[in-house]
PDB file of all heavy atoms in Angstrom:
ATOM      1  N   VAL A 229       5.884 -22.186  36.607  1.00 92.00           N
ATOM      2  CA  VAL A 229       4.648 -22.977  36.777  1.00 92.00           C
ATOM      3  C   VAL A 229       4.935 -24.458  36.601  1.00 92.00           C
ATOM      4  O   VAL A 229       4.518 -25.287  37.392  1.00 92.00           O
ATOM      5  CB  VAL A 229       3.575 -22.507  35.776  1.00 92.00           C
ATOM      6  CG1 VAL A 229       2.312 -23.400  35.906  1.00 92.00           C
ATOM      7  CG2 VAL A 229       3.218 -21.064  35.990  1.00 92.00           C
ATOM      8  N   ILE A 230       5.698 -24.820  35.533  1.00 93.00           N
ATOM      9  CA  ILE A 230       5.883 -26.242  35.238  1.00 93.00           C
ATOM     10  C   ILE A 230       7.309 -26.744  35.484  1.00 93.00           C
ATOM     11  O   ILE A 230       7.558 -27.935  35.490  1.00 93.00           O
ATOM     12  CB  ILE A 230       5.511 -26.550  33.753  1.00 93.00           C
ATOM     13  CG1 ILE A 230       6.531 -25.929  32.803  1.00 93.00           C
ATOM     14  CG2 ILE A 230       4.104 -26.076  33.447  1.00 93.00           C
ATOM     15  CD1 ILE A 230       6.435 -26.430  31.396  1.00 93.00           C
ATOM     16  N   GLY A 231       8.259 -25.800  35.703  1.00 89.00           N
ATOM     17  CA  GLY A 231       9.643 -26.203  35.873  1.00 89.00           C
ATOM     18  C   GLY A 231      10.005 -26.628  37.272  1.00 89.00           C
ATOM     19  O   GLY A 231       9.125 -26.740  38.158  1.00 89.00           O
ATOM     20  N   GLU A 232      11.256 -26.900  37.470  1.00 90.00           N
ATOM     21  CA  GLU A 232      11.774 -27.276  38.806  1.00 90.00           C
ATOM     22  C   GLU A 232      12.742 -26.208  39.302  1.00 90.00           C
ATOM     23  O   GLU A 232      13.757 -25.939  38.638  1.00 90.00           O
ATOM     24  CB  GLU A 232      12.488 -28.626  38.729  1.00 90.00           C
ATOM     25  CG  GLU A 232      11.565 -29.788  38.405  1.00 90.00           C
ATOM     26  CD  GLU A 232      12.335 -31.120  38.370  1.00 90.00           C
ATOM     27  OE1 GLU A 232      13.574 -31.115  38.565  1.00 90.00           O
ATOM     28  OE2 GLU A 232      11.688 -32.158  38.107  1.00 90.00           O
ATOM     29  N   ASN A 233      12.407 -25.529  40.394  1.00 89.00           N
ATOM     30  CA  ASN A 233      13.231 -24.460  40.966  1.00 89.00           C
ATOM     31  C   ASN A 233      13.486 -23.365  39.944  1.00 89.00           C
ATOM     32  O   ASN A 233      14.597 -22.790  39.862  1.00 89.00           O
ATOM     33  CB  ASN A 233      14.545 -25.033  41.461  1.00 89.00           C
ATOM     34  CG  ASN A 233      14.378 -26.048  42.558  1.00 89.00           C
ATOM     35  OD1 ASN A 233      13.512 -25.882  43.446  1.00 89.00           O
ATOM     36  ND2 ASN A 233      15.148 -27.146  42.513  1.00 89.00           N
ATOM     37  N   GLY A 234      12.480 -23.036  39.161  1.00 91.00           N
ATOM     38  CA  GLY A 234      12.587 -21.959  38.193  1.00 91.00           C
ATOM     39  C   GLY A 234      13.259 -22.299  36.881  1.00 91.00           C
ATOM     40  O   GLY A 234      13.522 -21.415  36.069  1.00 91.00           O
ATOM     41  N   ALA A 235      13.593 -23.573  36.681  1.00 92.00           N
ATOM     42  CA  ALA A 235      14.268 -23.992  35.440  1.00 92.00           C
ATOM     43  C   ALA A 235      13.455 -25.102  34.737  1.00 92.00           C
ATOM     44  O   ALA A 235      12.801 -25.901  35.429  1.00 92.00           O
ATOM     45  CB  ALA A 235      15.690 -24.463  35.739  1.00 92.00           C
ATOM     46  N   TYR A 236      13.516 -25.103  33.422  1.00 94.00           N
ATOM     47  CA  TYR A 236      12.879 -26.184  32.687  1.00 94.00           C
ATOM     48  C   TYR A 236      13.673 -27.508  32.877  1.00 94.00           C
ATOM     49  O   TYR A 236      14.885 -27.490  32.938  1.00 94.00           O
ATOM     50  CB  TYR A 236      12.836 -25.887  31.176  1.00 94.00           C
ATOM     51  CG  TYR A 236      11.809 -24.869  30.775  1.00 94.00           C
ATOM     52  CD1 TYR A 236      12.197 -23.648  30.197  1.00 94.00           C
ATOM     53  CD2 TYR A 236      10.460 -25.074  30.966  1.00 94.00           C
ATOM     54  CE1 TYR A 236      11.258 -22.702  29.803  1.00 94.00           C
ATOM     55  CE2 TYR A 236       9.503 -24.153  30.601  1.00 94.00           C
ATOM     56  CZ  TYR A 236       9.909 -22.959  30.006  1.00 94.00           C
ATOM     57  OH  TYR A 236       8.951 -22.033  29.631  1.00 94.00           O
ATOM     58  N   THR A 237      12.962 -28.616  32.966  1.00 93.00           N
ATOM     59  CA  THR A 237      13.616 -29.909  32.967  1.00 93.00           C
ATOM     60  C   THR A 237      14.059 -30.209  31.521  1.00 93.00           C
ATOM     61  O   THR A 237      13.514 -29.594  30.600  1.00 93.00           O
ATOM     62  CB  THR A 237      12.646 -30.977  33.444  1.00 93.00           C
ATOM     63  OG1 THR A 237      11.546 -31.102  32.512  1.00 93.00           O
ATOM     64  CG2 THR A 237      12.095 -30.701  34.847  1.00 93.00           C
ATOM     65  N   PRO A 238      14.991 -31.130  31.329  1.00 92.00           N
ATOM     66  CA  PRO A 238      15.414 -31.461  29.961  1.00 92.00           C
ATOM     67  C   PRO A 238      14.233 -31.864  29.080  1.00 92.00           C
ATOM     68  O   PRO A 238      14.197 -31.481  27.887  1.00 92.00           O
ATOM     69  CB  PRO A 238      16.371 -32.647  30.156  1.00 92.00           C
ATOM     70  CG  PRO A 238      16.960 -32.397  31.536  1.00 92.00           C
ATOM     71  CD  PRO A 238      15.841 -31.826  32.347  1.00 92.00           C
ATOM     72  N   GLY A 239      13.267 -32.626  29.594  1.00 93.00           N
ATOM     73  CA  GLY A 239      12.126 -33.034  28.798  1.00 93.00           C
ATOM     74  C   GLY A 239      11.256 -31.869  28.373  1.00 93.00           C
ATOM     75  O   GLY A 239      10.566 -31.931  27.365  1.00 93.00           O
ATOM     76  N   GLN A 240      11.254 -30.784  29.185  1.00 94.00           N
ATOM     77  CA  GLN A 240      10.490 -29.605  28.852  1.00 94.00           C
ATOM     78  C   GLN A 240      11.297 -28.670  27.952  1.00 94.00           C
ATOM     79  O   GLN A 240      10.715 -28.004  27.073  1.00 94.00           O
ATOM     80  CB  GLN A 240      10.094 -28.868  30.128  1.00 94.00           C
ATOM     81  CG  GLN A 240       9.170 -29.639  31.054  1.00 94.00           C
ATOM     82  CD  GLN A 240       9.104 -29.048  32.451  1.00 94.00           C
ATOM     83  OE1 GLN A 240       9.914 -28.188  32.800  1.00 94.00           O
ATOM     84  NE2 GLN A 240       8.163 -29.503  33.247  1.00 94.00           N
TER      85      GLN A 240
END
Side-chain angles (χ1 to χ4, degrees):
V229 178
I230 70 167
E232 294 180 359
N233 299 319
Y236 285 118
T237 64
Q240 296 165 348

